[in-house]
Amino acid sequence: DDAVNSKIVTENVASVLVNKMNRLHEQTQRMLIVASCLGATFRLSAVLEVMKNIPQVEMSSSMRVSRRSVLGTHTTIGSSSSSLLSSSTDRSPFARSIEELELEGLCEVDNEECHFVHDQIQSAANELISPDQRDSFRGRIGSILLLSLSPEELEASLFEVVGLLNCAANCAASNITDEERDELARMNLKAVIKASENAAFDAATVYCQAGRDALGSRGWEGDHSTMLDLCSHGANACFLTGDFDTMNELIEEVLSKDIDTKEKFRVSDIKVKSLFAAGKYNESIDVALD
C-alpha cells in the first residue's frame, strides 16, 4: 500500500534526522530547538535573542535526554556565513553553532533570514523537546521575544510571537495572571487585524478565538473594548471564509450585550452583508432597519 510505505519512509527519515541531531554539539542542539519553535523560516536575531536570555539549565531541562551529543570543539568556520557571523559580537558566541547547522545541511543562512532545508528537519528538531514541556517552552520563548524585540522587530515577527504566547496559555500547567491574559488578548487582536489586512482570513479566525479564550468569561467585564474588537473583526473574517455559523455566534454575542447601539452596528452591518450575499434581501433590509 502506497500510503503505508510513505508513512514508513517518513518515519524512517524522521528517525535518521533525530539521530543526526543528537550527535550535534549541545549548544547547537539548543539553537536548533529554539529555531524550530519559530517556524520553517526564522530570523537569526530572534534565535540569538532567546539564546542570550534563557538560562542553559532551563534550556537543558526542556530537552529530551541524549548521551550522544558532541561536547568537544566545533569545526573551523569556513562557509558563506563566516563573514556575517564575525561581523557581530552578539553572534560570535554562537558562530560555530550556526556554522555547524549549515555544514550538516540542516539550515541555510542568508543574512538575517534563515530557513530549514526541509520541513521534516523542523519537525525532527521539535522531537528534541520533552513532549510534556513543549507548550511551556514555546511560551517561554514568546515571552522573551515580547520583552526583548524592538517595536519594529516585534511587528515583523508578530504571528510567530503571538503563536508562541498562545502555547503558554494553552498549557495545562499555565499560571499566567489576568493582566497577562489581557495583554495576550490584545496581542491576538493585533494578529487578527494584521492577518485580515493580508487577506489571511483563516488565520485571523484562529487568532480571534485565541484572544477570546485568553479573556475568558470575564472578557466583557474585564476588557470590553478588546472583546468587542475581537468579535467584530472575527465575525468579518468568518464571513469572508464562509464560516457563517461562527460568524452568527459572534454577532449574536455582541448583540446580546448591554452596550451602545453604535458598537452593535459594527457586527449588525456584517450580518446585513451576509444576508444580502445569500440572496436574503428582505431579511437584510429588516436587520438594517432594526
Side-chain angles (χ1 to χ4, degrees):
D1 184 274
D2 289 341
V4 173
N5 290 334
S6 178
K7 185 174 187 295
I8 292 173
V9 170
T10 300
E11 291 175 348
N12 287 342
V13 170
S15 178
V16 169
L17 286 172
V18 169
N19 288 335
K20 183 176 186 176
M21 292 171 186
N22 280 331
R23 291 192 293 270
L24 296 173
H25 189 279
E26 188 174 348
Q27 178 173 272
T28 307
Q29 287 187 25
R30 293 196 292 269
M31 181 173 285
L32 186 66
I33 286 173
V34 171
S36 74
C37 293
L38 298 179
T41 300
F42 53 91
R43 296 169 64 84
L44 184 58
S45 59
V47 175
L48 299 181
E49 198 63 49
V50 174
M51 295 293 290
K52 290 185 294 182
N53 285 281
I54 190 167
Q56 182 175 325
V57 173
E58 181 180 348
M59 179 82 78
S60 298
S61 69
S62 298
M63 296 171 62
R64 283 180 163 173
V65 177
S66 170
R67 301 302 181 189
R68 289 174 288 179
S69 62
V70 179
L71 300 178
T73 304
H74 287 279
T75 56
T76 302
I77 294 180
S79 78
S80 60
S81 64
S82 59
S83 60
L84 166 69
L85 299 170
S86 61
S87 66
S88 172
T89 55
D90 287 340
R91 295 173 179 178
S92 57
F94 308 104
R96 286 182 170 79
S97 289
I98 300 171
E99 177 70 11
E100 187 176 12
L101 291 177
E102 284 199 289
L103 289 174
E104 292 295 334
L106 299 172
C107 298
E108 290 185 356
V109 179
D110 182 14
N111 292 320
E112 173 61 15
E113 295 297 324
C114 309
H115 68 271
F116 288 103
V117 175
H118 193 281
D119 56 4
Q120 287 193 18
I121 296 174
Q122 181 188 2
S123 298
N126 266 294
E127 291 299 315
L128 297 178
I129 310 173
S130 298
D132 60 338
Q133 297 191 49
R134 282 176 191 161
D135 281 345
S136 60
F137 181 67
R138 289 169 182 152
R140 178 79 169 98
I141 292 176
S143 296
I144 290 173
L145 294 176
L146 180 61
L147 294 174
S148 60
L149 295 181
S150 68
E152 294 76 17
E153 291 172 327
L154 183 58
E155 177 63 25
S157 302
L158 180 63
F159 297 138
E160 292 81 1
V161 173
V162 172
L164 291 166
L165 292 171
N166 286 338
C167 287
N170 294 332
C171 179
S174 174
N175 58 353
I176 62 175
T177 65
D178 286 346
E179 290 74 16
E180 290 171 329
R181 288 189 174 278
D182 290 345
E183 176 62 22
L184 179 59
R186 288 190 288 269
M187 291 292 293
N188 273 283
L189 175 58
K190 290 180 180 179
V192 171
I193 295 172
K194 184 174 182 178
S196 296
E197 289 173 347
N198 287 285
F201 299 111
D202 285 321
T205 62
V206 173
Y207 293 121
C208 167
Q209 186 60 54
R212 295 175 70 245
D213 288 344
L215 289 176
S217 58
R218 63 185 185 82
W220 285 101
E221 291 73 27
D223 194 342
H224 154 267
S225 177
T226 299
M227 185 64 96
L228 176 63
D229 285 340
L230 284 167
C231 287
S232 57
H233 285 289
N236 189 61
C238 289
F239 166 56
L240 293 169
T241 59
D243 183 1
F244 299 115
D245 288 340
T246 304
M247 178 200 73
N248 285 320
E249 288 176 8
L250 292 171
I251 290 173
E252 292 307 316
E253 180 175 338
V254 174
L255 296 179
S256 68
K257 300 301 177 182
D258 184 18
I259 57 178
D260 192 275
T261 302
K262 292 181 180 179
E263 294 179 320
K264 291 184 178 183
F265 175 76
R266 292 175 58 181
V267 295
S268 60
D269 181 54
I270 298 169
K271 189 170 185 178
V272 169
K273 288 189 293 186
S274 69
L275 290 170
F276 190 86
K280 299 178 180 180
Y281 306 119
N282 290 334
E283 288 184 53
S284 68
I285 293 174
D286 290 340
V287 173
L289 295 175
D290 189 4

